[in-house]
Amino acid sequence: LAKTTQPISMDSYEGQEVNITCSHNNIATNDYITWYQQFPSQGPRFIIQGYKTKVTNEVASLFIPADRKSSTLSLPRVSLSDTAVYYCLVGAITGFQKLVFGTGTRLLVSP
Amino acid sequence: DTGVSQDPRHKITKRGQNVTFRCDPISEHNRLYWYRQTLGQGPEFLTYFQNEAQLEKSRLLSDRFSAERPKGSFSTLEIQRTEQGDSAMYLCATRRSNTEAFFGQGTRLTVV
């Protein structure tokens, strides 16, 4: 399973756009990129998943360059409630599909 | 609420006691995972079920740990002879094939 590298922490202010980049140099051809969000004392929550180019949903956008060795989670106009830990995972979505978490990025949004 | 239910939410136990946690998945989800999470770390994989079959166990899952999913629905995770190092959040996640995983809120275990 491909290893991922993310910044340990990021700070932002309400209303700003936040971009969290994840490096996954050893991503395999059949690997997808998935992001989860976790609040204290709760389980992780799925945010977005993609394979290449750009994916957008009601919560976030995911940008994946052509070489797929990195990806960027973009959170538009963050609010205080977006303060959480964000995990980038890579892996196949067929078969066993074990989710391998790193230490994630702690995002702190301030007023 | 993701639809994955874990019970209890909190458990305090004395060292050496046995504890059992339960996970009730979303009904149509055939894949079930157990994870352990300690403070400041990401969740660590413990074991995986596809229906009632336990298909993989992590080396983290010592012989004091056992998990079951007898009818392919709910699952239990038992820890025998608990140690202080077992204190952690135990998370259950479930999914259908090729879809995202849904996590429960976890069971926080404190061994005193």
Side-chain angles (χ1 to χ4, degrees):
Chain A
L1 295 171
K3 181 179 178 180
T4 60
T5 303
Q6 310 173 227
I8 294 174
S9 64
M10 295 182 68
D11 295 322
S12 183
Y13 294 97
E14 283 189 293
Q16 290 189 332
E17 178 184 75
V18 171
N19 296 308
I20 306 174
T21 298
C22 178
S23 173
H24 29 81
N25 290 319
N26 298 321
I27 191 169
T29 302
N30 60 343
D31 284 344
Y32 279 68
I33 300 152
T34 310
W35 286 80
Y36 281 80
Q37 174 193 55
Q38 186 176 27
F39 299 113
S41 299
Q42 294 188 25
R45 183 176 73 107
F46 172 87
I47 302 176
I48 197 166
Q49 182 179 75
Y51 184 80
K52 62 180 179 181
T53 64
K54 177 183 175 182
V55 179
T56 297
N57 62 21
E58 65 277 6
V59 176
S61 294
L62 178 59
F63 299 91
I64 305 168
D67 67 5
R68 303 201 327 122
K69 294 183 182 299
S70 66
S71 59
T72 299
L73 174 72
S74 181
L75 304 173
R77 298 179 299 282
V78 294
S79 64
L80 298 177
S81 63
D82 292 316
T83 293
V85 179
Y86 293 83
Y87 295 98
C88 164
L89 290 76
V90 294
I93 65 169
T94 58
F96 174 24
Q97 307 166 354
K98 180 171 69 176
L99 303 175
V100 179
F101 289 82
T103 53
T105 298
R106 298 183 177 277
L107 173 64
L108 174 63
V109 180
S110 300
Chain B
D1 183 8
T2 63
V4 179
S5 177
Q6 291 190 245
D7 182 72
R9 290 291 312 278
H10 303 274
K11 178 70 176 180
I12 300 175
T13 190
K14 291 183 178 180
R15 188 177 54 173
Q17 297 294 306
N18 299 344
V19 294
T20 300
F21 311 141
R22 176 179 171 123
C23 172
D24 286 275
I26 296 171
S27 60
E28 66 269 25
H29 286 191
N30 61 338
R31 298 167 189 256
L32 187 147
Y33 306 78
W34 283 98
Y35 284 81
R36 180 175 68 187
Q37 186 173 27
T38 54
L39 196 62
Q41 301 298 313
E44 296 174 295
F45 169 78
L46 292 178
T47 191
Y48 161 68
F49 289 87
Q50 184 168 320
N51 300 311
E52 68 277 7
Q54 187 174 19
L55 297 185
E56 181 161 334
K57 293 168 58 174
S58 165
R59 287 172 294 175
L60 293 174
L61 214 66
S62 75
D63 57 4
R64 297 185 297 106
F65 287 71
S66 62
E68 294 183 341
R69 195 182 183 196
K71 296 182 180 180
S73 57
F74 74 92
S75 176
T76 57
L77 177 67
E78 181 183 16
I79 308 174
Q80 296 182 327
R81 305 181 302 281
T82 53
E83 303 172 355
Q84 287 190 322
D86 297 331
S87 295
M89 174 79 86
Y90 290 84
L91 293 161
C92 173
T94 72
R95 71 199 306 177
R96 289 181 301 176
S97 301
N98 305 340
T99 66
E100 71 266 26
F102 292 82
F103 282 80
Q105 291 190 300
T107 295
R108 181 167 296 283
L109 173 67
T110 302
V111 181
V112 298

